[in-house]
Amino acid sequence: MKNPLLLKYRSWALVCISLTCIIGVLFLPAIPQLPGYHGLADDRSLLGIPNMLNILTNIPFTLVGIAGIRLLAKEHALNVLVELKACYYWFFTGIAGVGLGSIYYHSDPSNDTLLWDRLPMSIAFMSFFCIILGEYVSIKMAKSLSYPLLLVGAGSVLYWWLGEKQGHGDLRIYGLVQYLPLLLMPVILLIYPAKFSHGNRYWVFYGLYGLAKVFEIADLPIYQLLGFISGHSLKHLAAAAGCAVFLSQLITRKAH
């Protein structure tokens, strides 16, 4: 797409989708945390530790996060945009934090412990979105938006948590942080050229994350069907597998 008019329309498509979602969400009533959110299907204990399988299935997050950080520290180990190296660090730090924060949450499920699960998750969401923006749309735009988006992500979690403390929690902004990038990323992948090879692995990442959300919704039915593992535990494994696919892409891809 070399035509300036087409380039302009391409950018405006992203702006229009974003504004439509933001305005639409702001017109919704406040969305509090569901009362039964912390009641997961599989609460079995092992060695006196409750929710043991939900805890153990978070370990892959931390392993992938640490591996990503270690490889980023080695020169030429990963093929990344140098200008956005901080975003890759933030992503893998967030993923490592998701594992630790989720372990903490599942050891004693409550809104207070969930805060430490969602904070690193919001960092991972926003940094990954900036990586996609930089690799497909504009490095300059991604760099300028990176820290504002990270602050919005963390702020959305704190806004929800503080609201819950006062009896009127609101997940609308956190929902935007999580789902608006999921809506925009496939559009970006379709209408912008990639700066690296193996771009198809982003679709694998996207598919595994979508599968993780299905597992999360079907937590109890999956546990009733399988008996040995719940949908929530499978959610952890699917999402961590998506992160591992992304890391493998960074190792093997080449710049165009």
Side-chain angles (χ1 to χ4, degrees):
M1 289 188 182
K2 299 294 185 180
N3 188 304
L5 189 60
L6 291 176
L7 291 174
K8 183 179 178 181
Y9 281 139
R10 196 166 54 176
S11 301
W12 274 108
L14 300 180
V15 172
C16 288
I17 292 171
S18 300
L19 288 176
T20 300
C21 292
I22 291 169
I23 293 170
V25 166
L26 292 178
F27 274 99
L28 292 174
I31 303 173
Q33 187 71 62
L34 292 174
Y37 181 84
H38 305 299
L40 300 175
D42 184 4
D43 59 358
R44 291 173 295 172
S45 298
L46 181 64
L47 301 175
I49 301 173
N51 305 309
M52 191 59 172
L53 202 55
N54 284 327
I55 287 174
L56 290 176
T57 50
N58 275 293
I59 294 175
F61 280 118
T62 301
L63 295 178
V64 172
I66 292 172
I69 293 167
R70 287 174 61 88
L71 288 171
L72 278 170
K74 294 182 179 180
E75 192 173 359
H76 306 308
L78 299 180
N79 294 301
V80 299
L81 294 172
V82 176
E83 301 91 335
L84 294 178
K85 198 165 186 178
C87 290
Y88 298 93
Y89 270 115
W90 277 113
F91 174 75
F92 286 111
T93 300
I95 290 303
V98 166
L100 296 174
S102 191
I103 287 171
Y104 179 53
Y105 165 65
H106 287 292
S107 67
D108 181 23
S110 69
N111 285 339
D112 287 337
T113 54
L114 185 58
L115 168 70
W116 300 104
D117 184 4
R118 284 180 171 166
L119 271 175
M121 205 178 299
S122 70
I123 290 170
F125 288 144
M126 293 291 91
S127 54
F128 188 75
F129 181 55
C130 287
I131 289 168
I132 295 291
L133 281 177
E135 291 186 0
Y136 283 83
V137 182
S138 165
I139 296 173
K140 183 179 179 181
M141 178 192 298
K143 192 172 182 179
S144 63
L145 288 177
S146 59
Y147 284 101
L149 286 178
L150 286 169
L151 288 173
V152 168
S156 71
V157 179
L158 293 173
Y159 171 71
W160 156 75
W161 177 71
L162 290 171
E164 291 287 352
K165 286 287 191 184
Q166 298 169 20
H168 50 78
D170 187 358
L171 286 166
R172 287 178 299 168
I173 309 301
Y174 179 70
L176 275 174
V177 165
Q178 182 170 179
Y179 293 108
L180 181 54
L182 288 178
L183 181 60
L184 291 174
M185 283 190 290
V187 177
I188 291 170
L189 294 176
L190 286 170
I191 66 177
Y192 283 90
K195 293 181 174 67
F196 295 95
S197 63
H198 297 81
N200 60 319
R201 293 192 192 178
Y202 276 127
W203 291 104
V204 178
F205 175 95
Y206 192 80
L208 284 168
Y209 189 79
L211 183 62
K213 300 308 290 183
V214 173
F215 285 149
E216 181 180 30
I217 294 168
D219 180 33
L220 179 58
I222 288 173
Y223 186 52
Q224 290 173 333
L225 177 66
L226 300 179
F228 66 95
I229 193 168
S230 68
H232 198 85
S233 292
L234 288 174
K235 165 203 166 183
H236 294 158
L237 296 176
C243 297
V245 168
F246 174 54
L247 179 58
S248 72
Q249 178 196 20
L250 298 182
I251 294 170
T252 58
R253 69 187 187 177
K254 303 295 182 184
H256 286 318

